[in-house]
Amino acid sequence: MPAALRPPALRGAVFRKRDVVAAGLLSSDCLRSSAWRRVFRGVYADAELPDSFGVRVRGARLLVPPSAVFSGRTAAYLHGATELADRRGLVEVTVPAEVRFGPVDGMRVRRISLPTSDVAYSGGWRCTSRVRTALDIARWESHPDAVAALDVLLARGLVDADRLREAAGVRRGRGSRQARRAVELTDPRAESQPESRLRVILTLAGLPPVPQHVVRGPDGAFLARVDLAYPDVRVAVEYDGAWHAEAGQFARDRRRLNGLTAAGWVVVHVTATDLRDPAALVARVRAQIRRATAGK
């Protein structure tokens, strides 16, 4: 492997191979050293930069045509909802229908002619507007994933609920019905994306729960606030995320569970593994509701 050569001008940089070679800063052989990391074909980054989604977006901007607009989860990331970055690292971009660009490994390229009202700038980045971003996610992704993302946008105040419903109501064309349904399923009270997915899975199965339900004891004192609830039969459904493994959390969870059990509640615990098998998850919750109903 060639010796690492790191010109000061390229420290912390993301750049195109052809530009730095033409400028005499590096040779093609030098780019094979450990000093550099390939981001896309023909695009490299200083290897000391984190291998992050933000670096990938910086690299994508060097490749896309001037008419391109970052869209979908990439636009959500640029608007400030960084937790919505594509889990697979794909950068989403939309180009006008007549523009020839792509495919590019590591990008998802869509050809759609956007009206100017749907294009915005966020921190100098050209991307879809916040409402258009939300509607695109709603019509491109499955309901559980889309609603989880919309819940984040609503909870963070990046999208107004009334404006989103209005925009979804007048939207026509491919995916518009799916987008309207996703918007109907949103609830900004959700405290995590897995919780949102869990709520949507149960709702679409005909078991709509009450989100963030407060449970009180016989004397009216606060006992707990549960993720999702069926108050009539005293069944709670809770998503157990990684934070439950934090120091001291087990003891707090145990005290909370004991209080709920003493008040006659049954808690169904759900993990990330359960979310990957929605049919089995729904069957488990339905069975618990059936048992609770029979015991009334």
Side-chain angles (χ1 to χ4, degrees):
M1 181 176 290
L5 174 65
R6 301 182 69 243
L10 297 180
R11 294 181 184 271
V14 180
F15 52 86
R16 293 187 301 183
K17 172 182 175 180
R18 69 185 188 191
D19 294 336
V20 299
V21 170
L25 292 172
L26 291 172
S27 67
S28 296
D29 286 342
C30 287
L31 283 170
R32 290 198 291 271
S33 79
S34 59
W36 314 107
R37 181 177 66 252
R38 197 177 91 153
V39 182
F40 297 103
R41 184 176 181 181
V43 175
Y44 291 78
D46 182 347
E48 292 189 357
L49 287 172
D51 188 11
S52 66
F53 190 74
V55 169
R56 294 186 63 78
V57 177
R58 287 173 61 185
R61 182 156 64 170
L62 298 174
L63 286 181
V64 300
S67 57
V69 176
F70 289 109
S71 53
R73 287 179 175 263
T74 303
Y77 173 92
L78 294 172
H79 283 302
T82 55
E83 65 267 52
L84 297 185
D86 190 290
R87 292 187 293 271
R88 293 160 295 180
L90 292 176
V91 175
E92 296 181 71
V93 62
T94 295
V95 298
E98 68 277 7
V99 172
R100 297 186 63 182
F101 175 71
V104 178
D105 187 32
M107 286 191 204
R108 179 179 288 116
V109 181
R110 294 184 173 91
R111 290 176 176 79
I112 303 170
S113 295
L114 296 171
T116 55
S117 58
D118 284 349
V119 179
Y121 285 86
S122 181
W125 296 84
R126 194 166 188 260
C127 54
T128 49
S129 67
R130 294 179 179 185
V131 170
R132 175 65 191 237
T133 297
L135 290 178
D136 282 347
I137 291 173
R139 68 195 184 99
W140 289 337
E141 300 189 19
S142 69
H143 281 139
D145 287 345
V147 175
L150 297 187
D151 282 353
V152 169
L153 295 172
L154 291 168
R156 298 278 297 276
L158 294 173
V159 177
D160 177 75
D162 291 337
R163 188 177 174 197
L164 181 59
R165 281 194 294 270
E166 180 182 358
V170 300
R171 179 73 60 179
R172 295 294 180 267
R174 184 178 180 183
S176 57
R177 182 179 299 177
Q178 175 164 318
R180 284 192 291 275
R181 181 56 174 146
V183 172
E184 291 171 1
L185 291 167
T186 59
D187 192 315
R189 291 174 293 178
E191 295 187 338
S192 70
Q193 293 185 67
E195 181 189 318
S196 293
R197 293 187 185 96
L198 174 57
R199 186 189 75 245
V200 172
I201 288 170
L202 294 174
T203 299
L204 293 177
L207 300 172
V210 177
Q212 300 301 319
H213 179 71
V214 173
V215 179
R216 298 187 181 277
D219 59 354
F222 175 88
L223 283 179
R225 180 163 54 86
V226 297
D227 293 342
L228 304 169
Y230 300 93
D232 292 345
V233 292
R234 296 189 180 185
V235 172
V237 184
E238 295 254 83
Y239 179 77
D240 289 345
W243 68 274
H244 284 274
E246 295 175 359
Q249 188 60 44
F250 178 80
R252 290 190 291 271
D253 284 348
R254 183 57 60 187
R255 288 194 297 270
R256 181 172 177 273
L257 179 60
N258 288 341
L260 287 167
T261 302
W265 282 73
V266 174
V267 180
V268 178
H269 294 279
V270 176
T271 67
T273 300
D274 295 320
L275 292 179
R276 291 193 284 270
D277 190 354
L281 168 61
V282 169
R284 185 154 61 96
V285 174
R286 194 186 301 278
Q288 186 57 62
I289 293 174
R290 189 179 301 118
R291 283 193 293 269
T293 302
K296 291 186 68 175

